Structure formats: structure tokens, C-alpha cells
Amino acid sequence: MGLQTSIENVSRTEDGPYECYDAVVTAHDISQLYKTGFLKVDDDRQRGVDSVTGKRILHEEKIEQWAEQLIRGEAYLGQLSWNFRKDETELKYDEATRSLKIGAGAAAIPDSGHRHMAILKAAESAGKGSSFKLDRKVSVRIYNAPASEENRIFYAMNQEGRKADPTRSKRLY
């Protein structure tokens, strides 16, 4: 299997037609995994690249808002998602030890790209003296689906379902 990485305290679950796993990692883990290339954003599977500037299409205001909320300890991020592409990375789950062994490869981020970027921004701010806690725990859904399925995951997380009425949501908040 080559180089391996292990994630502990993982639960096997189901989401879509492929086996998947739920794990809890820290903001520091995410920062380190991104810096080493273990976590990556595939622009073709997210919002793409601006044809004029050549930069990744991001909603900087959303990232900034979430980063500030993270620093204050107030952010609701929900579950992040990673995909170890079925045809590129081998996963082995040990039910007895609840550990997930990951063969050589990287995890693509099929959804939650902005939330990942906010975590990275908040983690960077900790190095500059902010009060962000690098040991903040974050829930991650880990898929093992083909790359072609990432478009469907992105669509399901961003387009399916119906948003609550904005007036009611604002009033409740």
C-alpha cells in the first residue's frame, strides 16, 4: 500500500452509494494536512478558476466571516467533507480499532471548500497571536468515491434540499 496515514476514532457510516466514514480532526490537523498537500481543492470540482485572473473562484467575504467567527469561538461550520478517490487511494477500515488506514494519495475536498479556507485563515491567525484554538475539533465525512462522483456530492450539498424561509430564519436568529 506504500506510505500510510491513519485516522483514529472513525465510524463507518453511509451516505450516497459508497461506503464512507465519520471522523473528528482538529483545525491544526486540517492546516497541516493542507500544507503538506494531503488535502487539496480540485477547482474543476468546486467553483472553478476565473478565466480572466486565473485565480480560484472564492467568496472571500464568506471565508473572512467564518474565520472571524472561528477566532471568536462562535462559528457553526457543520460537517466538512473529504474524498479519497476510489481509483487513486486505497482505504482500509479496521472495525475493531475504529481506525482508517489511508494509502498514498491525497484527499480532495468535494464540498466545504470555503469552510476549509476559513479554518486555514483562522489557523494562520493563531500564529500571529489571535485567540483561535488550534485544537478546535471539526467533524469530517470521509468518502471513498470516484472523482466523477464529487460533482454529485457538491450538488447534493449545495443544491438539493430546500432552504428555510429567510424571513423566519432571520427572525429566529
Side-chain angles (χ1 to χ4, degrees):
M1 217 164 109
L3 291 174
Q4 284 189 356
T5 299
S6 248
I7 302 175
E8 305 304 321
N9 299 318
V10 175
S11 297
R12 186 190 324 243
T13 189
E14 297 176 22
D15 196 18
Y18 297 93
E19 192 170 88
C20 60
Y21 310 89
D22 286 342
V24 175
V25 298
T26 66
H28 183 260
D29 294 333
I30 289 171
S31 176
Q32 293 306 303
L33 293 172
Y34 192 82
K35 285 178 185 175
T36 62
F38 188 79
L39 279 178
K40 64 181 182 177
V41 174
D42 182 340
D43 294 319
D44 292 335
R45 306 253 181 238
Q46 286 277 324
R47 288 174 169 79
V49 174
D50 185 295
S51 60
V52 175
T53 65
K55 293 183 180 179
R56 177 179 292 151
I57 297 172
L58 293 172
H59 296 287
E60 293 294 341
E61 306 81 32
K62 186 187 294 188
I63 293 169
E64 188 64 38
Q65 178 184 3
W66 271 328
E68 287 299 320
Q69 290 172 353
L70 280 163
I71 292 165
R72 291 191 311 266
E74 300 171 353
Y76 287 103
L77 294 180
Q79 192 173 51
L80 305 181
S81 62
W82 299 348
N83 184 37
F84 291 97
R85 294 174 175 168
K86 200 168 196 60
D87 47 347
E88 298 173 18
T89 305
E90 183 182 355
L91 299 184
K92 286 194 177 186
Y93 181 68
D94 184 328
E95 192 82 42
T97 62
R98 295 185 55 226
S99 66
L100 184 65
K101 296 200 182 333
I102 303 152
I109 300 171
D111 182 55
S112 66
H114 283 92
R115 289 175 279 155
H116 277 84
M117 295 301 114
I119 291 168
L120 295 174
K121 190 174 195 90
E124 186 179 296
S125 77
K128 298 175 184 172
S130 83
S131 61
F132 181 64
K133 295 178 181 161
L134 289 169
D135 61 349
R136 179 190 171 107
K137 291 181 172 45
V138 181
S139 177
V140 180
R141 170 75 38 98
I142 300 171
Y143 295 91
N144 187 215
S148 59
E149 194 72 6
E150 290 173 7
N151 291 346
R152 184 171 172 223
I153 294 168
F154 183 85
Y155 180 81
M157 299 298 163
N158 291 283
Q159 299 299 316
E160 291 180 352
R162 205 168 147 214
K163 288 185 177 183
D165 174 61
T167 305
R168 177 166 172 67
S169 295
K170 288 175 185 170
R171 185 177 58 81
L172 289 172
Y173 178 65

